[in-house]
Amino acid sequence: MPRMDNCKDFLSWVDPDTSLNIFKCLDDPADLARVSCVSRSWRGFVVANGLSKQLCLRMFPQLSRVACVVELNQDGVKEHSEVGSSQSNECLALWKDHRVYSYLARSCLSPVAMDCIDKAISASSTDNFPQESIVNTLEERDNIAGRFSYWSSSGQSNPNVPETLTYQLASQICVITEINIQPFQAHFQMGSPIYSAKSIRFKMGHLKASLDDLTDAFVWTYTSPEFPMAQENRLQKFKLPEPVLCIGGILQIELLERVQSQEMDGLLYICISHVQALGIQLSPAFSVDILGPSGMFVLKRDRMANCQPPEPSENESGAALTLADRDFQQIVTILRGHVMGVGAMDGWEEEEYEVDEDNAF
């Protein structure tokens, strides 16, 4: 076995700026967690330079609006900081940021993706309410007990009049990777026309802190590029260029340009039978408080949400296999962890990241 007596920590051989540039090359949260376990000096270097936070900011620019991070104890209330010197408090704050952002980065890379839409909020127009309500787009089937299920816009003579569908996501903070939409085909009309849009665009954001201006109740923090939509009766998948961290849990779908007219009245319509927003739900481990019109927010982390529940029994696993794919994904996620879409992290031991007050840095 080779002797390690003469091995030295490269952090002591190179200047801090060079070391920092080397560590910034790590773009996988798992790699950053591993180097933090190499030694106290490496861990201290990662924490002191806020490398976990910087990695999260590179992954999700939306986090630039975080005003502060808060850890909640087992009672769901903010943990109080210990009274001490300013240097000690700064050290504790750095370790807190490290714990929160490290777990956030790992959580956002969970392999379990599910439909994150919780409920429909509103449509810009509806032709025949409630029979053709936006609520119907939450149903995967376009025919239920012989009744067609879809949303329809009002008719327009101008093809450039857009429509919007607005939804509330199941978690206040989500990572959205893909949005799927199925245009509706009206088999009950001559020629079975498909009422798709020519293109679509997506917005994500949160409710305004003040609703004094009723013309727009939302603040949009992300707007996607336009995607072309095919005039085909199938679930069309629109993968976002990069995963998006939706702060506030509001998704809006913009349907741009009408392509199909109705023979009965000659007006142009857009009809949608189903919508999905695939991603990772980060609640209840994470939540946010929006701070007024500035758009800044407090990122909260509930440490008790990390607890791993008992493994499912054989009977529970067997029952899950008999369900539809979507339900199967949801049940497996629930069995693995309290956070929808955030399972237990293999090899993740949070105790490794507790502050060693005697050897903090």
Side-chain angles (χ1 to χ4, degrees):
M1 180 178 294
R3 292 178 60 84
M4 304 294 290
D5 297 344
N6 296 325
C7 291
K8 290 188 177 181
D9 187 344
F10 85 84
L11 290 180
S12 63
W13 285 74
V14 298
D15 62 271
D17 289 341
T18 302
S19 299
L20 186 59
N21 289 331
I22 293 172
F23 275 68
K24 282 183 177 179
C25 293
L26 300 174
D27 56 5
D28 188 324
D31 290 337
L32 198 57
R34 292 187 186 101
V35 301
S36 298
C37 297
V38 170
S39 66
R40 285 193 179 96
S41 65
W42 282 39
R43 184 183 305 174
F45 188 85
V46 168
V47 174
N49 288 281
L51 292 180
S52 293
K53 180 178 180 179
Q54 292 186 46
L55 176 58
C56 281
L57 285 169
R58 292 198 299 272
M59 293 170 62
F60 303 107
Q62 296 83 11
L63 289 171
S64 63
R65 296 184 299 111
V66 173
C68 64
V69 298
V70 171
E71 288 183 308
L72 306 178
N73 62 23
Q74 61 269 27
D75 298 318
V77 298
K78 179 180 178 180
E79 294 184 344
H80 295 286
S81 301
E82 297 293 333
V83 177
S85 66
S86 59
Q87 183 176 1
S88 174
N89 289 335
E90 181 180 357
C91 174
L92 292 172
L94 287 170
W95 277 95
K96 177 182 65 175
D97 282 2
H98 176 70
R99 288 192 299 269
V100 171
Y101 284 108
S102 294
Y103 190 70
L104 177 62
R106 293 288 298 275
S107 301
C108 290
L109 297 181
S110 168
V112 180
M114 60 177 57
D115 188 357
C116 294
I117 294 179
D118 179 41
K119 61 184 180 182
I121 296 178
S122 65
S124 52
S125 73
T126 301
D127 186 47
N128 187 16
F129 185 87
Q131 289 83 359
E132 296 174 336
S133 166
I134 182 179
V135 174
N136 295 334
T137 63
L138 303 180
E139 174 59 53
E140 294 186 21
R141 298 168 294 173
D142 62 4
N143 192 308
I144 303 173
R147 181 183 65 83
F148 289 100
S149 175
Y150 61 97
W151 162 81
S152 174
S153 72
S154 60
Q156 296 286 341
S157 57
N158 182 358
N160 296 319
V161 176
E163 296 286 348
T164 60
L165 301 175
T166 306
Y167 299 89
Q168 179 176 310
L169 302 180
S171 174
Q172 198 183 22
I173 175 170
C174 297
V175 177
I176 302 299
T177 57
E178 180 180 300
I179 298 172
N180 302 332
I181 302 175
Q182 182 168 349
F184 176 68
Q185 183 170 15
H187 293 287
F188 52 84
Q189 294 182 358
M190 184 70 68
S192 299
I194 300 173
Y195 291 95
S196 67
K198 184 176 181 180
S199 62
I200 57 172
R201 184 167 54 211
F202 309 112
K203 292 182 177 180
M204 298 183 214
H206 57 83
L207 281 167
K208 285 185 177 179
S210 173
L211 297 181
D212 294 337
D213 181 8
L214 298 179
T215 58
D216 191 355
F218 307 105
V219 175
W220 304 117
T221 57
Y222 171 81
T223 300
S224 77
E226 284 188 30
F227 297 87
M229 174 176 270
Q231 194 174 7
E232 299 175 3
N233 178 25
R234 60 179 175 83
L235 190 65
Q236 301 181 34
K237 300 182 179 182
F238 303 96
K239 189 174 180 64
L240 300 177
E242 298 290 342
V244 176
L245 190 67
C246 179
I247 306 297
I250 303 296
L251 166 68
Q252 185 174 91
I253 298 172
E254 292 184 292
L255 301 157
L256 308 172
E257 294 192 52
R258 301 158 189 257
V259 297
Q260 182 64 53
S261 62
Q262 181 176 249
E263 184 178 6
M264 182 183 301
D265 58 13
L267 297 178
L268 296 154
Y269 293 81
I270 299 176
C271 302
I272 301 297
S273 60
H274 185 49
V275 171
Q276 294 177 337
L278 299 185
I280 304 163
Q281 302 174 26
L282 299 177
S283 296
F286 292 95
S287 60
V288 297
D289 280 345
I290 307 296
L291 302 177
S294 67
M296 302 294 287
F297 64 92
V298 177
L299 177 63
K300 297 181 178 180
R301 185 203 162 187
D302 184 351
R303 299 185 66 181
M304 295 306 294
N306 300 332
C307 298
Q308 184 174 0
E311 292 294 323
S313 66
E314 293 183 4
N315 291 336
E316 290 171 324
S317 299
L321 291 173
T322 65
L323 299 176
D325 290 345
R326 179 183 175 190
D327 294 333
F328 172 76
Q329 285 186 346
Q330 294 176 346
I331 289 176
V332 168
T333 304
I334 293 171
L335 292 174
R336 286 180 175 173
H338 294 303
V339 183
M340 295 295 292
V342 182
M345 303 298 172
D346 294 337
W348 176 266
E349 296 293 340
E350 187 168 0
E351 287 75 10
E352 294 177 355
Y353 294 91
E354 298 296 338
V355 180
D356 182 353
E357 294 183 352
D358 295 329
N359 298 281
F361 300 120

